[in-house]
Amino acid sequence: MNRSLNYGEAIREALDQSLSDDPDVVVMGLGVPDPKGVFGSTLGLQERHGPERVMDIPLSENAVTGVALGCAATGMRPVLVHQRVDFTLTAFEQVVNQVAKWRFMFNDQMSVPMVIRMVVGRGWGQGPQHSQSLQALFAHIPGLRVIMPTTAHDAKGMMIAAIRSDDPVVCLEHRWLYSIEDEVPESRYVVPLDEARIVRSGTDITLVGVSYMTLECLAAADMLAEAGLSAEVVDLRSIRPLDTSAIVSSVERTSRLLIVDNGHVVGGVSAEIVAAVVEQAFSHLEVAPERMGFPDYPTPTSPALADDYYPLPHQIAMRASEMLGKRFSFQPIDRGERRLDQPHPAYQGPF
Amino acid sequence: MNRSLNYGEAIREALDQSLSDDPDVVVMGLGVPDPKGVFGSTLGLQERHGPERVMDIPLSENAVTGVALGCAATGMRPVLVHQRVDFTLTAFEQVVNQVAKWRFMFNDQMSVPMVIRMVVGRGWGQGPQHSQSLQALFAHIPGLRVIMPTTAHDAKGMMIAAIRSDDPVVCLEHRWLYSIEDEVPESRYVVPLDEARIVRSGTDITLVGVSYMTLECLAAADMLAEAGLSAEVVDLRSIRPLDTSAIVSSVERTSRLLIVDNGHVVGGVSAEIVAAVVEQAFSHLEVAPERMGFPDYPTPTSPALADDYYPLPHQIAMRASEMLGKRFSFQPIDRGERRLDQPHPAYQGPF
Amino acid sequence: MVEEAIANLYPEQEMRCPVHLSIGQEAAAVGVCDGLRSGDLAVSGHRSHAHYLAKGGSLKRLLAELYGRSTGCTGGLGGSMHLTDLSAGFLAATPIVGSSVPVAVGAAFSAKARGSDRLVTIFVGDGAMETGVVHESLNFAVVHNLPVLFCCENNLYSVYSPMEVRQPGHRTIADLAAGHGIRTSAGDGNDAEEVAVLADDAYRSIRAGEGPVFLELSTYRWREHCGPNYDNDIGYRSLDEFDLWRANDPIEVLAARGVWSQRASDTEEIASEIHLAVEFARESPFPDPETVRYPVLHRSVS
Amino acid sequence: MVEEAIANLYPEQEMRCPVHLSIGQEAAAVGVCDGLRSGDLAVSGHRSHAHYLAKGGSLKRLLAELYGRSTGCTGGLGGSMHLTDLSAGFLAATPIVGSSVPVAVGAAFSAKARGSDRLVTIFVGDGAMETGVVHESLNFAVVHNLPVLFCCENNLYSVYSPMEVRQPGHRTIADLAAGHGIRTSAGDGNDAEEVAVLADDAYRSIRAGEGPVFLELSTYRWREHCGPNYDNDIGYRSLDEFDLWRANDPIEVLAARGVWSQRASDTEEIASEIHLAVEFARESPFPDPETVRYPVLHRSVS
Ligand SMILES: Cc1ncc(C[n+]2csc(CCOP(=O)(O)OP(=O)(O)O)c2C)c(N)n1
Ligand SMILES: Cc1ncc(C[n+]2csc(CCOP(=O)(O)OP(=O)(O)O)c2C)c(N)n1
Ligand SMILES: [Mg+2]
Ligand SMILES: [Mg+2]
């Protein structure tokens, strides 16, 4: 029970177990069986389950999304894997017009049990076309489920749930989470696809984190605690449907809401959260909910510019304390030799 | 000055004048020179400006978007035309990864002066794949301008501005607006791409309408007026950037905000408006801002179902009056013989 | 006759959805579906009524769907442009051009993966051959040697756009497909017998595991692109051209050859079947808005 | 040598962006760009350094870009994967596979529309041929008879994926392109002279208004897909295969033929140029975050 796996290994185990349990599951995507195995998440699967069930594809993301839909509509449970969400825009038509709509427009006569895994890049100069985080685009489309697990534990449980789900599930995985370990049971467990999780209780303000930003929120909560402020941290996990009630009930306790999205603020997931919370908990709010996330321009490549692009824990703590009417000066986390375009080494579970 | 044109004619005049004024302008799209001329909006243009400048394309929206980008980056000003926004999802990769980002990621060394016109379908059973209204997807992407003119007057002025703009502009045109007339000057005038417009002043509540929904808001404002309530109606017009200050200053006067989007509510443009207004005018709000729009499922085809899909004036009036703490019962507009899957005949300018 | 009935009734405005009729192109549908077994699947695009019926779809459920009724093959949710009928082996028709093609390929992939002897036929138009996704689909089908027939009904137009502005004149559509290394053939799409021979030939080799086949059929649409009327007056095609194709009526072709004679009793029988289907559609209830408002997503898994 | 220098310096972690090196594939870039005039444009994808330099790009600005400096060809915003240098006639390189191809076609369209004699060359890999957008682009170029050369460097791999899982073995990439009715040729991509002859031949016919040409060049990437190292140890390709291609070194090919002999003085000169460029890059300032935060949109029009 105390076994540790990292995020990539956890996903691999979910795929491995699903492939073993259900002959209808197939895994396909560019590089799935290659020596790198999509950052380790598909390593060894082809050897274990054969080239018919774990396969590479041509550089045709659009058609292969349709192929997966054809498989799903005729009884299989395909898992499509993309090394960057940016690449999957080529398949956006299939996802939005077809995958999301078949079950509805065909009057529930068939379901579309497929999973589309997309990795979100960050750092090391991946720049404008390899590090977008486009969950908001999928979050707007009825018929899709959209998840962004943060911990290795949730990654495994939600992946198993996604594969078993009869709805299409889009799963966005942040690259910087891959090496982070957490307690991951060996059993085939399921984490619900539509529930946020309180990762740290607090009383003064609710911080909602999306994916990697949940870890930054936890670090910010530490800083706030040192300053005597108590932040509750919610790991959103489900982007569509949103678990509004979990957030609302947290805000009913703390009266303050700061969302830290891993994506553009404008027109993003954080806007929907604000709107939903305002609709349901207006009278509980002491101050206006605020949002942090990516600024309103594409990701620049040079580390000199990219360092400035992402919210950092001390900035989150600062904003939270301002919402509480305080003004402390929080110091950036000590990163030793590490530059900001690499993941923070200290983030390790269990969470 | 009192000349009337309908929306389609107004766009055609904008294209015609732009083609005449600037040899770099070209217009391309499926069916552009055909006998129907994209609902009339491109009729006669090929005859006037030649097949090199006004042209049909192969059924390759994705590549042609790249072609237009290549034209724009080398000094031309292409206008791409699509008969449905749904079709343009095939080109989403080009729009998001390339068109929106070139100017930024190439450090302003070139600009991308292109316009992508997309018609939004509605009614007559166009159903799940021909009547989406996906402005929220484009609104999330930095580097794009996104507009949705409501009146024929604005359609012409904003189209001319869009063509002259050095940024890529996505213009979404609601099919039901095409036959509606308004005063449209013959001159080459410009309507700013980033300003909302107050179409009706009021004191009790601010109704923000998106595209066709602005007309429904005006009808609702009439009903409210009969009940003694004074609604201000704002025609959003610009989806990206949002004219937040216009909305905020209206809300500062009325203390109440109801947004009626022509699109899905969840994760939509209305969420961004709520979030922005809450951030800037929290203390002015008497009640929580509310949102209306399309429900969280795809558009069904049967009129028996589609009738229920779109907000109607009496429902808007009802919601507004509830936000004012009143409860009136408003009657549906009398549509005579017309069913709800056809445009309302009474909507005519000047607005 | 079915589609003529639709065309006649459409102006009553009770079928409130766009319809793309196949009148003039019937031979392709009939000839190609002739060799399909009931366990095989057909997939189509925006112009799909003929394919649906030829694959054994229910006339009643089709008409009810056009009339937006709950008894339609998608319960009124899809309308003319989005059909499905798994009981007839008709997987789906969807109207984004090209977009249903990879789905058909996926169905063939799944058939092969599960060791079934199912075969899939996908219908496309000449315009669809300009979409990238069709090329990606052809390549995928060839690489995986899938049991799928691509049937292209080349009716010379994409809406009102002639070939010249869309494709080069010095290659055929079959040539284009052949670039992918797929077996191709081509024939007269207005001759149901010829079509059936070509299709059967294709099915034989597909069933023998020799991989996908591409079939180009030349044909012509008589009515307007979308809607019930003739549109030779609007000027995108010549009356001469129309008359030439009109003379090559797929039904007359068979009749002239004596293969099929449309006897008065047949005509009557069909007419009465159509009549019954229309009645059925008209008398069927509309879907109930309350039931549509179900949440789109299934309940969570556990 | 330039890219070897990049490979050597990369582990210092001062070039903080992904790099896709062309070592082993130089002959294609050099031979194809040889016949381009300065007013012509080149466009590329993720593996673009060689194309950029061969088209006359600045070594200093390239290295400064890799080092993320404000003096880089995109001021540090783009990095290795997003290059542009209009002064060198290098329109753009962008790394979404296939995505820059229609843009190149658009540049050719615009050249033709404006009556210029400009020609555009677009470089793609074998993997890109599997993307739908490349097919749409080929068709568009042929229909409009555009002045564009499609140059495909077939290095047998897409990342670590071999041809078998992506394309059928019984047709070549040139065959595939030929389906579109485009003129094609193919040759040894490791022989710069042969490449130049094929390219010049293509340019002659393109400049004569005879429309686009497609050129398939076989070649091989020596190092890993992305990054500075050799990766023959990870098992996706055989050492035999590697050695075979290694023996066919594009530079040795020329040297053996006596066309070009790499004299010590040349080597020294190049080394010093590289050294200077690296110095330039290292000493250049980083871009200023303040200036990047400008609003993305131009001011409104009036
Ligand atoms: C991606 C996309 N672009 C445009 C359209 C609009 N459209 C509907 S049918 C059609 C023509 C298709 O031509 P073809 O494939 O030859 O079929 P036909 O109508 O001739 O049977 C077009 C352009 C669409 N449905 N999808
Ligand atoms: C649409 C898309 N899918 C996937 C990728 C990831 N990717 C980057 S390069 C590459 C391989 C391309 O192969 P090829 O075209 O043969 O070029 P090569 O690397 O061999 O020069 C892939 C799959 C991408 N950049 N874009
Ligand atoms: Mg056609
Ligand atoms: Mg390659």
Side-chain angles (χ1 to χ4, degrees):
Chain A
M1 245 340 240
N2 277 329
R3 190 187 55 147
S4 257
L5 290 185
N6 70 28
Y7 193 91
E9 292 161 345
I11 290 176
R12 187 180 56 195
E13 188 164 270
L15 297 176
D16 187 34
Q17 293 177 344
S18 300
L19 282 159
S20 298
D21 294 349
D22 184 346
D24 289 326
V25 174
V26 289
V27 177
M28 46 175 95
L30 283 174
V32 158
D34 80 18
K36 299 286 172 82
V38 189
F39 312 112
S41 68
T42 58
L43 271 184
L45 295 178
Q46 191 178 54
E47 288 72 13
R48 289 172 58 82
H49 302 282
E52 317 274 286
R53 299 189 60 208
V54 179
M55 44 179 276
D56 211 329
I57 59 170
L59 221 167
S60 310
E61 285 94 343
N62 191 12
V64 176
T65 305
V67 166
L69 167 56
C71 289
T74 55
M76 298 179 78
R77 294 188 174 269
V79 179
L80 247 179
V81 188
H82 299 292
Q83 313 223 4
R84 289 285 178 285
V85 59
D86 317 65
F87 306 160
T88 61
L89 295 179
T90 54
F92 207 63
E93 191 282 315
Q94 283 291 329
V95 174
V96 174
N97 286 336
Q98 311 296 351
V99 171
K101 294 185 174 45
W102 271 43
R103 186 184 145 233
F104 176 85
M105 78 191 189
F106 291 147
N107 202 21
D108 222 358
Q109 291 176 90
M110 57 184 100
S111 56
V112 182
M114 64 188 269
V115 180
I116 313 184
R117 291 180 49 202
M118 305 174 178
V119 177
V120 174
R122 173 169 170 183
W124 200 262
Q126 297 188 65
Q129 299 185 345
H130 277 61
S131 49
Q132 293 173 85
S133 189
L134 299 171
Q135 56 273 20
L137 302 183
F138 301 100
H140 187 53
I141 307 301
L144 299 178
R145 286 181 178 280
V146 184
I147 58 172
M148 292 183 88
T150 303
T151 67
H153 174 276
D154 289 351
K156 177 176 171 184
M158 294 178 91
M159 186 56 61
I160 292 178
I163 293 171
R164 292 188 193 166
S165 162
D166 283 338
D167 297 305
V169 179
V170 171
C171 176
L172 295 112
E173 307 161 9
H174 194 291
R175 183 70 189 79
W176 279 13
L177 297 171
Y178 267 70
S179 56
I180 300 181
E181 299 204 346
D182 193 19
E183 277 179 26
V184 178
E186 285 175 47
S187 64
R188 288 127 161 92
Y189 62 94
V190 149
V191 171
L193 297 174
D194 45 17
E195 288 181 17
R197 171 173 165 246
I198 296 177
V199 270
R200 176 180 176 132
S201 307
T203 52
D204 296 334
I205 186 168
T206 301
L207 304 179
V208 174
V210 175
S211 185
Y212 188 78
M213 287 300 153
T214 304
L215 305 187
E216 304 286 35
C217 286
L218 283 170
D222 281 340
M223 297 180 181
L224 288 165
E226 274 181 40
L229 301 174
S230 162
E232 178 145 308
V233 178
V234 177
D235 181 4
L236 191 62
R237 302 197 298 192
S238 305
I239 309 295
R240 168 178 266 280
L242 269 185
D243 185 0
T244 313
S245 69
I247 303 169
V248 164
S249 73
S250 173
V251 170
E252 283 172 358
R253 290 190 300 272
T254 63
S255 309
R256 285 171 177 83
L257 172 64
L258 172 60
I259 301 145
V260 189
D261 192 6
N262 191 81
H264 294 297
V265 170
V266 174
V269 170
S270 61
E272 177 61 31
I273 297 174
V274 171
V277 167
V278 165
E279 273 158 18
Q280 294 178 34
F282 188 68
S283 60
H284 291 90
L285 289 165
E286 284 290 334
V287 295
E290 299 199 16
R291 305 178 281 164
M292 297 177 77
F294 302 176
D296 211 26
Y297 51 85
T299 324
T301 299
S302 173
L305 303 172
D307 284 358
D308 231 42
Y309 197 73
Y310 300 96
L312 289 169
H314 69 286
Q315 296 162 336
I316 298 169
M318 189 89 76
R319 184 81 85 94
S321 70
E322 280 166 15
M323 289 176 68
L324 283 157
K326 313 267 155 70
R327 233 193 120 73
F328 299 100
S329 89
F330 296 96
Q331 292 309 310
I333 297 189
D334 179 17
R335 302 177 54 90
E337 289 289 278
R338 295 241 171 186
R339 300 257 290 260
L340 278 166
D341 56 359
Q342 291 179 315
H344 192 283
Y347 290 162
Q348 289 299 340
F351 299 100
Chain B
M1 249 338 247
N2 277 330
R3 190 187 58 146
S4 256
L5 289 185
N6 71 28
Y7 194 89
E9 292 162 346
I11 290 176
R12 187 179 58 197
E13 190 165 270
L15 296 175
D16 187 33
Q17 293 177 345
S18 300
L19 282 159
S20 298
D21 294 349
D22 184 346
D24 289 326
V25 174
V26 290
V27 177
M28 47 176 94
L30 283 173
V32 158
D34 81 17
K36 299 286 172 81
V38 190
F39 312 112
S41 68
T42 59
L43 272 184
L45 294 179
Q46 190 177 58
E47 288 73 13
R48 288 172 59 83
H49 303 282
E52 317 274 286
R53 298 189 60 207
V54 179
M55 46 181 273
D56 212 326
I57 60 171
L59 219 167
S60 311
E61 285 95 343
N62 190 11
V64 176
T65 304
V67 166
L69 168 56
C71 289
T74 56
M76 299 180 75
R77 293 186 175 271
V79 180
L80 248 179
V81 190
H82 299 292
Q83 313 223 7
R84 289 285 179 285
V85 61
D86 317 67
F87 306 160
T88 63
L89 295 180
T90 55
F92 206 62
E93 191 281 315
Q94 283 291 328
V95 173
V96 174
N97 286 335
Q98 312 296 350
V99 171
K101 295 187 173 44
W102 272 43
R103 184 181 148 238
F104 177 84
M105 78 190 189
F106 291 148
N107 202 20
D108 222 0
Q109 292 175 90
M110 57 184 102
S111 56
V112 181
M114 62 186 271
V115 180
I116 312 183
R117 291 180 50 202
M118 305 174 179
V119 177
V120 175
R122 174 170 168 181
W124 199 261
Q126 297 187 66
Q129 299 185 344
H130 278 59
S131 50
Q132 293 171 85
S133 189
L134 298 171
Q135 55 273 18
L137 302 184
F138 300 100
H140 186 53
I141 307 301
L144 299 178
R145 287 180 176 281
V146 184
I147 58 173
M148 293 184 87
T150 303
T151 66
H153 174 275
D154 290 349
K156 177 177 171 183
M158 294 180 90
M159 186 55 62
I160 292 178
I163 293 170
R164 292 188 192 166
S165 161
D166 283 338
D167 297 304
V169 180
V170 172
C171 176
L172 295 113
E173 308 162 10
H174 195 292
R175 181 72 190 79
W176 279 13
L177 297 170
Y178 267 70
S179 57
I180 301 181
E181 300 204 345
D182 191 20
E183 280 180 24
V184 178
E186 285 176 47
S187 65
R188 286 126 162 94
Y189 63 93
V190 149
V191 171
L193 297 173
D194 46 16
E195 289 180 15
R197 173 173 163 248
I198 297 177
V199 271
R200 177 178 175 135
S201 307
T203 51
D204 296 333
I205 187 168
T206 300
L207 304 178
V208 173
V210 174
S211 184
Y212 187 79
M213 287 300 153
T214 305
L215 306 186
E216 305 285 37
C217 285
L218 283 169
D222 282 342
M223 296 179 179
L224 289 165
E226 275 181 39
L229 302 173
S230 162
E232 179 145 304
V233 178
V234 177
D235 180 5
L236 191 62
R237 301 199 298 194
S238 304
I239 308 295
R240 176 178 193 97
L242 269 186
D243 186 0
T244 314
S245 70
I247 303 169
V248 164
S249 73
S250 173
V251 171
E252 282 171 358
R253 290 190 301 274
T254 63
S255 309
R256 285 172 177 82
L257 172 64
L258 172 60
I259 302 146
V260 189
D261 191 6
N262 191 81
H264 294 297
V265 170
V266 174
V269 171
S270 60
E272 177 62 30
I273 297 174
V274 171
V277 168
V278 165
E279 272 157 16
Q280 294 177 33
F282 189 67
S283 61
H284 292 90
L285 288 165
E286 284 289 333
V287 295
E290 298 199 17
R291 306 177 282 165
M292 297 177 78
F294 302 178
D296 210 29
Y297 51 85
T299 325
T301 299
S302 172
L305 303 173
D307 285 359
D308 230 42
Y309 197 74
Y310 301 97
L312 289 169
H314 69 284
Q315 296 163 335
I316 299 170
M318 189 88 78
R319 185 80 85 94
S321 71
E322 281 166 13
M323 288 175 67
L324 283 156
K326 313 267 154 71
R327 231 194 123 75
F328 298 100
S329 90
F330 296 96
Q331 292 309 310
I333 297 187
D334 179 17
R335 305 178 51 91
E337 289 290 277
R338 294 240 172 187
R339 301 259 288 262
L340 277 167
D341 57 359
Q342 290 179 314
H344 193 283
Y347 290 161
Q348 289 298 339
F351 299 102
Chain C
M1 274 182 72
V2 170
E3 293 215 313
E4 275 158 15
I6 295 174
N8 291 336
L9 292 167
Y10 196 76
E12 292 181 1
Q13 307 212 343
E14 291 304 316
M15 287 176 268
R16 301 176 83 84
C17 63
V19 292
H20 302 80
L21 304 181
S22 295
I23 298 173
Q25 309 187 190
E26 302 87 347
V30 170
V32 166
C33 289
D34 192 50
L36 288 176
R37 304 177 184 159
S38 70
D40 295 333
L41 293 176
V43 176
S44 181
H46 57 289
R47 193 179 308 286
S48 67
H49 301 175
H51 308 141
Y52 173 71
L53 293 176
K55 183 62 179 72
S58 146
L59 182 57
K60 283 185 175 174
R61 298 188 73 201
L62 173 63
L63 279 164
E65 191 55 44
L66 301 187
Y67 277 88
R69 307 301 161 119
S70 63
T71 52
C73 61
T74 74
L77 286 169
S80 160
M81 296 198 292
H82 316 80
L83 304 177
T84 185
D85 194 338
L86 295 176
S87 64
F90 191 81
L91 178 59
T94 63
I96 306 289
V97 176
S99 189
S100 56
V101 177
V103 187
V105 171
F109 179 90
S110 131
K112 190 177 174 193
R114 307 171 125 209
S116 107
D117 62 353
R118 167 181 282 175
L119 173 160
V120 183
T121 292
I122 165 77
F123 290 94
V124 296
D126 45 291
M129 297 305 297
E130 298 148 20
T131 65
V133 71
V134 168
H135 288 279
E136 295 185 354
S137 302
L138 283 165
N139 181 58
F140 191 95
V142 174
V143 168
H144 287 275
N145 203 42
L146 298 180
V148 55
L149 174 69
F150 297 85
C151 172
C152 177
E153 294 178 25
N154 180 354
N155 65 4
L156 306 177
Y157 292 90
S158 165
V159 191
Y160 308 115
S161 306
M163 274 291 181
E164 303 88 85
V165 300
R166 307 182 282 119
Q167 296 183 34
H170 60 280
R171 60 131 185 90
T172 67
I173 285 179
D175 292 340
L176 175 64
H180 289 280
I182 191 174
R183 222 192 98 193
T184 63
S185 58
D188 178 357
N190 276 17
D191 181 340
E193 279 194 306
E194 181 177 334
V195 171
V197 169
L198 290 172
D200 284 347
D201 193 39
Y203 294 145
R204 225 180 342 264
S205 88
I206 294 171
R207 291 194 208 278
E210 287 162 26
V213 177
F214 184 94
L215 180 56
E216 177 184 0
L217 300 172
S218 41
T219 182
Y220 201 71
R221 150 174 69 76
W222 288 10
R223 307 256 174 155
E224 58 191 341
H225 165 70
C226 177
N229 303 309
Y230 288 95
D231 67 352
N232 298 310
D233 53 318
I234 66 174
Y236 69 99
R237 58 187 193 183
S238 75
L239 210 56
D240 282 357
E241 183 183 277
F242 176 82
D243 286 340
L244 210 74
W245 282 96
R246 184 79 171 74
N248 189 22
D249 178 343
I251 294 166
E252 299 290 327
V253 166
L254 292 190
R257 212 176 288 153
V259 179
W260 187 64
S261 68
Q262 194 168 338
R263 279 164 310 174
S265 65
D266 287 347
T267 316
E268 230 166 77
E269 204 181 302
I270 300 174
S272 111
E273 212 190 306
I274 296 173
H275 179 76
L276 283 175
V278 171
E279 284 303 288
F280 171 77
R282 284 191 165 142
E283 281 162 15
S284 292
F286 280 108
D288 176 2
E290 288 311 314
T291 65
V292 174
R293 284 203 214 90
Y294 58 69
V296 171
L297 300 177
H298 282 181
R299 227 148 329 112
S300 214
V301 224
S302 51
Chain D
M1 275 181 70
V2 169
E3 293 215 312
E4 276 157 15
I6 295 174
N8 291 336
L9 292 167
Y10 196 76
E12 291 181 2
Q13 307 213 344
E14 291 304 315
M15 287 178 271
R16 301 176 82 83
C17 63
V19 293
H20 302 81
L21 304 182
S22 293
I23 297 174
Q25 309 186 191
E26 302 87 348
V30 171
V32 166
C33 288
D34 192 50
L36 289 176
R37 303 176 186 161
S38 71
D40 295 334
L41 293 176
V43 177
S44 181
H46 57 289
R47 193 179 307 287
S48 68
H49 301 175
H51 308 140
Y52 173 70
L53 293 176
K55 184 61 179 71
S58 147
L59 182 58
K60 284 185 174 174
R61 298 188 73 201
L62 174 63
L63 278 165
E65 192 55 43
L66 300 188
Y67 276 89
R69 309 300 161 119
S70 63
T71 52
C73 62
T74 73
L77 286 168
S80 160
M81 296 196 294
H82 316 81
L83 304 177
T84 184
D85 193 340
L86 296 176
S87 64
F90 192 82
L91 178 60
T94 63
I96 306 289
V97 176
S99 189
S100 57
V101 177
V103 187
V105 171
F109 180 89
S110 134
K112 190 177 176 195
R114 307 171 127 211
S116 106
D117 61 354
R118 166 180 283 175
L119 174 158
V120 183
T121 292
I122 165 78
F123 290 94
V124 295
D126 45 290
M129 297 305 297
E130 298 148 21
T131 66
V133 71
V134 167
H135 288 278
E136 294 185 356
S137 302
L138 283 165
N139 181 57
F140 192 95
V142 174
V143 168
H144 287 276
N145 204 44
L146 298 180
V148 56
L149 175 68
F150 296 84
C151 172
C152 177
E153 294 177 24
N154 179 354
N155 64 6
L156 305 179
Y157 292 90
S158 165
V159 192
Y160 308 116
S161 307
M163 275 292 180
E164 304 88 84
V165 299
R166 306 182 283 119
Q167 295 183 34
H170 59 280
R171 59 128 184 92
T172 68
I173 286 180
D175 292 342
L176 175 64
H180 289 280
I182 191 173
R183 222 193 96 193
T184 63
S185 57
D188 177 357
N190 276 17
D191 181 339
E193 281 194 304
E194 182 177 332
V195 171
V197 168
L198 291 172
D200 284 348
D201 193 41
Y203 293 146
R204 225 180 340 265
S205 90
I206 294 171
R207 290 195 210 279
E210 287 162 27
V213 178
F214 184 94
L215 181 55
E216 177 185 358
L217 299 173
S218 40
T219 182
Y220 202 70
R221 153 173 65 75
W222 288 10
R223 308 255 175 157
E224 58 191 340
H225 165 70
C226 177
N229 303 309
Y230 288 95
D231 67 352
N232 298 313
D233 53 317
I234 64 175
Y236 69 100
R237 58 187 192 183
S238 75
L239 210 57
D240 282 356
E241 183 184 275
F242 177 81
D243 287 339
L244 211 73
W245 283 95
R246 185 77 171 73
N248 188 22
D249 179 344
I251 293 167
E252 298 291 325
V253 166
L254 292 189
R257 212 177 289 152
V259 178
W260 188 64
S261 66
Q262 195 168 337
R263 279 165 313 177
S265 65
D266 285 350
T267 315
E268 229 166 79
E269 202 181 303
I270 300 174
S272 111
E273 210 189 305
I274 295 174
H275 179 74
L276 283 175
V278 171
E279 284 304 290
F280 171 79
R282 284 190 165 144
E283 281 161 17
S284 291
F286 280 109
D288 176 3
E290 289 309 316
T291 65
V292 175
R293 285 203 213 89
Y294 59 71
V296 172
L297 300 178
H298 281 180
R299 229 152 322 115
S300 214
V301 225
S302 52

